[in-house]
Amino acid sequence: MIEIGRYNDLRIINKTEHGLILTEGDKEVLLPYVDVPKNIEVGENINVFVYMHKDGRLMGTTKKPLACVGDFAYLTVVDDGEDGVFMNLGIDKDIYVPQREQKRPMFKGDNHVVYVYLDESNDRMVASSRLTNYVEDQDIDLEEGDEVSLLIIDRSDLGYNAIVDNKYIGLLYTNELFDQLNPGEVRKGWIKKIRVEGKIDLSLQPMGYGHILENKDVILDELKACGGIVHLGDKSAPDDIYDRFKISKSAFKKVIGGLYRDRLITISDHEIKLFVDEEAD
């Protein structure tokens, strides 16, 4: 069965004046010659993205769309009207966002994170910025500490909302961030906490002891490269720590605390030093 709004492996069965005719054995898809690769012949298979043309025909393209059905994506409004807007999908077909599916009014030139789905009444791709209607919030298949992919949505009173692994929605708290984030940005993140009500707290820092061990090596290497002294300590500003090591102040204190307990460094308010065993000398 042909899946509209997704990639399909189809067999070439004919050539016409407008393009190649493709099929999976039941329905036919037109692939315009502008999208036909060189040296491909009738009888061969080809992988194409399939969509519904405005005239009701199934069309194929070898261009890569910015999103498929089932994806969350950051798209640009290229045309607006009273009933809805069209957003650039990166192919010859724009995607429609009905007014009822707009969380807030959209206008030409705007950028929004939207969810792409198939309107089963007419087999056409549409999109929605009402993201909470399309994320999963039951039986979350994640654990605290998991590494995930984040698509930044927007800013809220508490921080930044993000789509997690193209399935869930979570929150990055402002007081734990040291980078400037922008809607549409894709970041690597980690699961900090999964709450009983299905809400997900996120972090841009890896969680757990393994990350502490990794950063121990980073800080020791930096100390050795700097002659045994780094001018950051217990009372240094969080931004200064992040600029140097790309970790939060909390993570930094855990790491240097571990190094101190291992008798590898000494710590002061604004400085750490490699430990020197004077008795051994």
Side-chain angles (χ1 to χ4, degrees), residues 77 79-86 96 99 102 106-108:
V77 178
D79 194 15
D80 55 30
E82 293 183 3
D83 298 326
V85 303
F86 288 91
Y96 184 58
Q99 190 178 53
Q102 297 175 28
M106 295 180 171
F107 303 97
K108 187 175 181 179

Side-chain angles (χ1 to χ4, degrees), residues 72-122:
F72 294 89
Y74 188 62
L75 304 179
T76 302
V77 178
V78 292
D79 194 15
D80 55 30
E82 293 183 3
D83 298 326
V85 303
F86 288 91
M87 305 188 84
N88 178 28
L89 196 58
I91 58 175
D92 294 335
K93 170 75 172 177
D94 296 327
I95 190 165
Y96 184 58
V97 186
Q99 190 178 53
R100 68 179 182 277
E101 289 291 346
Q102 297 175 28
K103 183 177 180 180
R104 63 177 187 270
M106 295 180 171
F107 303 97
K108 187 175 181 179
D110 288 350
N111 296 286
H112 298 269
V113 174
V114 295
Y115 178 75
V116 177
Y117 66 97
L118 196 67
D119 185 339
E120 295 182 357
S121 69
N122 55 22

Side-chain angles (χ1 to χ4, degrees), residues 19 31 33 36 44 58 137 173 185 215-216 239 250:
L31 178 65
Y33 282 118
V36 176
E44 295 182 358
L58 288 177
D137 57 7
Y173 289 91
E185 192 174 349
N215 279 309
K216 278 186 177 181
D239 287 350
S250 174

Side-chain angles (χ1 to χ4, degrees), residues 135 140 142 148-165 168-177 181 189-195 197-205 207:
V135 293
I140 295 174
L142 293 170
V148 291
S149 175
L150 305 178
L151 171 62
I152 307 302
I153 303 170
D154 55 19
R155 187 165 190 166
S156 70
D157 292 339
L158 296 175
Y160 287 87
N161 297 304
I163 295 296
V164 182
D165 280 354
Y168 313 106
I169 194 166
L171 179 66
L172 291 156
Y173 289 91
T174 301
N175 63 353
E176 298 175 359
L177 295 174
L181 297 179
W190 284 264
I191 303 300
K192 181 180 178 183
K193 187 173 184 178
I194 300 175
R195 300 183 180 275
E197 63 272 25
K199 294 182 179 179
I200 301 174
D201 293 345
L202 302 167
S203 173
L204 294 182
Q205 308 289 335
M207 314 299 290

Side-chain angles (χ1 to χ4, degrees), residues 24 75 85 116 131 139 178 195 204 206 210 214 236:
E24 92 294 17
L75 304 179
V85 303
V116 177
L131 306 181
D139 300 323
F178 302 93
R195 300 183 180 275
L204 294 182
E214 177 184 321
S236 296

